[in-house]
Coordinates of all heavy atoms in Angstrom, one line a residue:
P1 N 0.8 -1.2 0.0 CA 0.0 0.0 0.0 C 0.9 1.3 0.0 O 1.9 1.3 0.6 CB -0.8 -0.1 1.3 CG 0.1 -1.0 2.2 CD 0.8 -1.9 1.3
G2 N 0.4 2.2 -0.7 CA 1.1 3.5 -0.7 C 0.6 4.4 0.4 O -0.2 4.0 1.2
R3 N 1.2 5.6 0.5 CA 0.8 6.6 1.5 C -0.6 7.1 1.1 O -1.0 7.3 0.0 CB 1.8 7.7 1.4 CG 1.5 8.7 2.6 CD 2.4 9.9 2.5 NE 3.8 9.7 2.1 CZ 4.6 10.6 1.8 NH1 4.3 11.9 1.8 NH2 5.8 10.3 1.4
L4 N -1.4 7.2 2.2 CA -2.8 7.7 2.0 C -2.8 9.1 1.3 O -2.0 10.0 1.7 CB -3.5 7.8 3.3 CG -3.8 6.5 4.0 CD1 -4.4 6.8 5.4 CD2 -4.8 5.7 3.3
T5 N -3.6 9.3 0.3 CA -3.8 10.6 -0.3 C -4.9 11.4 0.3 O -4.9 12.6 0.3 CB -4.0 10.5 -1.8 OG1 -5.2 9.7 -2.1 CG2 -2.8 9.8 -2.5
V6 N -5.9 10.6 0.9 CA -7.0 11.3 1.6 C -7.0 10.7 3.0 O -7.1 9.5 3.2 CB -8.3 11.0 0.9 CG1 -9.5 11.6 1.7 CG2 -8.4 11.7 -0.5
L7 N -6.8 11.5 4.0 CA -6.8 11.1 5.4 C -8.2 11.0 6.0 O -8.9 12.0 5.8 CB -5.9 12.0 6.2 CG -4.4 12.1 5.7 CD1 -3.7 13.2 6.3 CD2 -3.7 10.8 5.8
P8 N -8.6 9.9 6.6 CA -9.9 9.8 7.1 C -10.2 10.7 8.3 O -9.3 10.9 9.1 CB -10.0 8.3 7.5 CG -8.6 7.9 7.7 CD -7.8 8.7 6.8
L9 N -11.4 11.2 8.4 CA -11.8 12.0 9.5 C -12.9 11.3 10.3 O -13.6 10.4 9.8 CB -12.4 13.4 9.0 CG -11.5 14.2 8.1 CD1 -12.2 15.4 7.6 CD2 -10.2 14.6 8.9
Q10 N -13.1 11.7 11.6 CA -14.1 11.2 12.4 C -15.5 11.6 11.9 O -15.6 12.6 11.2 CB -13.9 11.6 13.9 CG -12.7 11.1 14.6 CD -12.9 9.7 15.0 OE1 -14.0 9.1 14.9 NE2 -11.8 9.1 15.5
G11 N -16.5 10.9 12.4 CA -17.8 11.3 12.0 C -18.6 10.2 11.4 O -18.1 9.1 11.1
D12 N -19.9 10.5 11.3 CA -20.8 9.5 10.7 C -20.6 9.3 9.2 O -20.8 8.3 8.6 CB -22.3 9.9 11.0 CG -22.6 9.9 12.5 OD1 -21.9 9.1 13.2 OD2 -23.4 10.6 12.9
L13 N -20.3 10.4 8.5 CA -20.1 10.4 7.1 C -18.7 9.8 6.7 O -17.8 9.9 7.5 CB -20.2 11.8 6.5 CG -21.5 12.5 6.8 CD1 -21.5 13.9 6.2 CD2 -22.7 11.7 6.1
D14 N -18.7 9.3 5.5 CA -17.4 8.8 5.0 C -16.6 10.0 4.4 O -16.8 10.4 3.3 CB -17.7 7.8 3.9 CG -16.4 7.0 3.5 OD1 -15.5 7.0 4.3 OD2 -16.4 6.5 2.4
S15 N -15.9 10.7 5.3 CA -15.2 11.9 4.9 C -13.7 11.9 5.1 O -13.2 11.0 5.8 CB -15.8 13.1 5.7 OG -15.5 12.9 7.1
G16 N -13.0 12.8 4.4 CA -11.6 12.8 4.5 C -11.1 14.1 4.1 O -11.8 15.0 3.5
A17 N -9.8 14.3 4.4 CA -9.1 15.6 4.0 C -7.9 15.2 3.2 O -7.2 14.2 3.5 CB -8.7 16.4 5.3
S18 N -7.6 15.9 2.2 CA -6.4 15.6 1.3 C -5.2 15.9 2.1 O -5.2 16.8 3.0 CB -6.4 16.5 0.1 OG -6.1 17.8 0.3
R19 N -4.2 15.2 1.8 CA -2.9 15.3 2.5 C -2.3 16.7 2.4 O -1.8 17.3 3.4 CB -1.9 14.3 1.9 CG -0.7 14.1 2.7 CD 0.1 12.9 2.0 NE 0.7 11.9 2.7 CZ 0.5 11.5 4.0 NH1 -0.2 12.1 4.8 NH2 1.2 10.5 4.5
R20 N -2.5 17.3 1.3 CA -2.0 18.7 1.1 C -2.7 19.7 1.9 O -2.1 20.6 2.5 CB -2.1 19.0 -0.4 CG -1.5 20.3 -0.8 CD -1.6 20.5 -2.3 NE -0.9 21.7 -2.7 CZ -0.8 22.1 -4.0 NH1 -1.4 21.3 -4.9 NH2 -0.3 23.2 -4.3
S21 N -4.0 19.6 1.9 CA -4.8 20.6 2.7 C -4.6 20.4 4.2 O -4.6 21.4 5.0 CB -6.3 20.6 2.3 OG -6.8 19.3 2.7
Y22 N -4.5 19.2 4.6 CA -4.2 18.8 6.0 C -2.9 19.4 6.5 O -2.8 20.1 7.5 CB -4.2 17.3 6.1 CG -4.2 16.7 7.5 CD1 -5.4 16.6 8.2 CD2 -3.1 16.1 8.1 CE1 -5.5 16.0 9.4 CE2 -3.2 15.5 9.3 CZ -4.4 15.4 10.0 OH -4.4 14.8 11.2
R23 N -1.9 19.3 5.6 CA -0.6 19.8 6.0 C -0.6 21.4 6.0 O 0.0 22.0 6.8 CB 0.5 19.3 5.0 CG 1.9 19.7 5.3 CD 2.9 19.1 4.4 NE 2.6 19.3 3.0 CZ 2.4 18.4 2.1 NH1 2.5 17.1 2.5 NH2 2.2 18.7 0.8
S24 N -1.2 21.9 5.0 CA -1.2 23.4 4.9 C -2.0 24.1 6.0 O -1.7 25.1 6.5 CB -1.8 23.9 3.5 OG -3.1 23.5 3.4
T25 N -3.1 23.4 6.5 CA -3.9 24.0 7.6 C -3.1 23.9 8.9 O -3.2 24.8 9.7 CB -5.3 23.4 7.7 OG1 -6.0 24.2 8.6 CG2 -5.3 22.0 8.2
L26 N -2.3 22.8 9.1 CA -1.5 22.7 10.3 C -0.3 23.7 10.2 O 0.1 24.3 11.2 CB -1.0 21.3 10.4 CG -2.1 20.2 10.7 CD1 -1.5 18.9 10.8 CD2 -2.9 20.6 12.0
R27 N 0.2 23.9 9.0 CA 1.3 24.9 8.9 C 0.8 26.3 9.2 O 1.5 27.1 9.8 CB 1.9 24.8 7.5 CG 3.1 25.7 7.3 CD 3.7 25.6 5.9 NE 2.8 25.8 4.8 CZ 2.5 24.9 3.9 NH1 3.1 23.8 3.8 NH2 1.6 25.1 2.9
A28 N -0.4 26.6 8.7 CA -1.0 27.9 9.0 C -1.2 28.1 10.5 O -1.0 29.2 11.0 CB -2.3 28.1 8.2
A29 N -1.7 27.1 11.1 CA -1.9 27.2 12.6 C -0.6 27.4 13.3 O -0.5 28.2 14.3 CB -2.5 25.9 13.1
A30 N 0.5 26.8 12.9 CA 1.8 26.9 13.5 C 2.4 28.3 13.2 O 2.9 29.0 14.1 CB 2.8 25.9 13.0
A31 N 2.2 28.8 12.0 CA 2.7 30.1 11.6 C 1.9 31.3 12.3 O 2.4 32.4 12.3 CB 2.7 30.3 10.1
A32 N 0.7 31.0 12.7 CA -0.1 32.1 13.3 C 0.3 32.4 14.8 O -0.2 33.4 15.3 CB -1.6 31.7 13.3
V33 N 1.1 31.5 15.4 CA 1.6 31.8 16.7 C 2.5 33.0 16.8 O 3.3 33.2 15.9 CB 2.3 30.5 17.3 CG1 2.9 30.8 18.6 CG2 1.4 29.3 17.3
D34 N 2.3 33.8 17.8 CA 3.1 35.0 17.9 C 4.6 34.7 18.1 O 4.9 33.9 19.0 CB 2.6 35.9 19.1 CG 3.3 37.2 19.2 OD1 3.5 37.8 18.1 OD2 3.5 37.7 20.3
G35 N 5.4 35.3 17.2 CA 6.8 35.1 17.3 C 7.4 34.1 16.3 O 8.6 34.0 16.1
V36 N 6.5 33.4 15.6 CA 6.9 32.5 14.5 C 7.0 33.2 13.2 O 6.0 33.8 12.8 CB 5.9 31.3 14.4 CG1 6.3 30.4 13.3 CG2 5.9 30.5 15.7

């Protein structure tokens, strides 16, 4: 198996987030901290 391209999310629906958007939203959260 290769690396997941869509990461599964919790919930009743069959939902997921793309690897790229997952990484970019976490990077935005880290960059939003004062001093970074």
Side-chain angles (χ1 to χ4, degrees):
R3 188 184 320 170
L4 292 173
T5 57
V6 175
L7 302 169
L9 301 177
Q10 291 285 350
D12 297 332
L13 300 175
D14 191 22
S15 60
S18 73
R19 194 173 224 12
R20 185 176 184 179
S21 64
Y22 194 76
R23 185 176 53 240
S24 65
T25 191
L26 294 178
R27 183 177 55 237
V33 174
D34 186 37
V36 173

